[in-house]
Amino acid sequence: LGAEVTPDGRYVVLTTTDGCDPVNRLFYVDLDACDGEVGPDFESRVVKVVDNFEAAWEYIGSTQDGSITLRTNHSAPTYKLVRCDLVNSGTDVTSWPTIVEATEHVLEWADVLAGDRMAVCYLKHVVHHVEVREHATGSLVGTVPLPVGSVYQYSGSHKSSDFFVKLTSFVEPGVTYKCD
């Protein structure tokens, strides 16, 4: 079981897994509707978004209109990013718009940054490549010029456009890069 509060403090996004397969269920609770009290009726406030174990659904970030961005392998074995309006989208995952299409390379992680940006990391031929994209549309803003290597740690925040990646390679035991 996993839980994450959206940066605006409005929703708790809940995931449940079963075993080690890259699949999970996805739920949320609207904290505004709870009036600050969770109480014994918490279970009745949980809204089912994806109630099966057919794909992975990882919360990436929120938009200003109350939608969330998810990394998923639903119809995309190398993963893609989709947008889900929690209030109006319903549970038909095929109707959710894709903002970053799946490619031949594995989309390993993504994170929302300040200024309608997100950092997206791909594994291309055993080398990590980090891109900056617009969060609203998924459009490519630029590629982070990192040397050949593996990103083994990331740190960023929706409150800042700066983020940090730790990279290692055959010639570099470990170095941290600050990116803006």
Side-chain angles (χ1 to χ4, degrees):
L1 180 65
E4 187 168 352
V5 178
T6 59
D8 60 6
R10 171 135 189 224
Y11 299 105
V12 176
V13 179
L14 304 164
T15 57
T16 60
T17 59
D18 183 24
C20 296
D21 289 337
V23 296
N24 62 281
R25 298 177 357 181
L26 180 70
F27 309 93
Y28 76 91
V29 176
D30 186 343
L31 295 176
D32 286 353
C34 294
D35 297 325
E37 296 289 327
V38 176
D41 66 338
F42 178 77
E43 189 173 337
S44 67
R45 298 180 186 274
V46 176
V47 178
K48 296 175 184 177
V49 181
V50 178
D51 196 19
N52 59 54
F53 290 108
E54 295 176 3
W57 303 96
E58 177 188 353
Y59 171 77
I60 300 300
S62 303
T63 63
Q64 292 180 351
D65 67 358
S67 296
I68 61 172
T69 303
L70 300 165
R71 177 180 166 263
T72 184
N73 60 359
H74 181 267
S75 301
T78 59
Y79 291 85
K80 63 183 176 180
L81 298 180
V82 297
R83 183 76 32 83
C84 172
D85 179 341
L86 291 176
V87 177
N88 301 313
S89 286
T91 59
D92 180 13
V93 299
T94 60
S95 69
W96 298 349
T98 298
I99 60 168
V100 176
E101 294 285 346
T103 68
E104 64 182 299
H105 308 292
V106 178
L107 193 161
E108 291 215 329
W109 55 262
D111 191 34
V112 175
L113 305 167
D116 187 43
R117 299 287 191 251
M118 63 182 167
V120 179
C121 182
Y122 288 94
L123 183 62
K124 299 180 181 181
H125 309 295
V126 301
V127 176
H128 284 117
H129 295 269
V130 178
E131 298 175 347
V132 176
R133 293 181 170 268
E134 290 182 10
H135 183 220
T137 64
S139 299
L140 181 65
V141 174
T143 301
V144 178
L146 295 172
V148 172
S150 296
V151 173
Y152 67 92
Q153 193 170 17
Y154 164 84
S155 176
S157 168
H158 68 279
K159 295 179 181 179
S160 174
S161 62
D162 292 341
F163 64 96
F164 299 85
V165 292
K166 287 188 176 182
L167 187 120
T168 186
S169 70
F170 290 113
V171 296
E172 180 63 56
V175 64
T176 301
Y177 292 92
K178 178 182 178 185
C179 308
D180 182 358

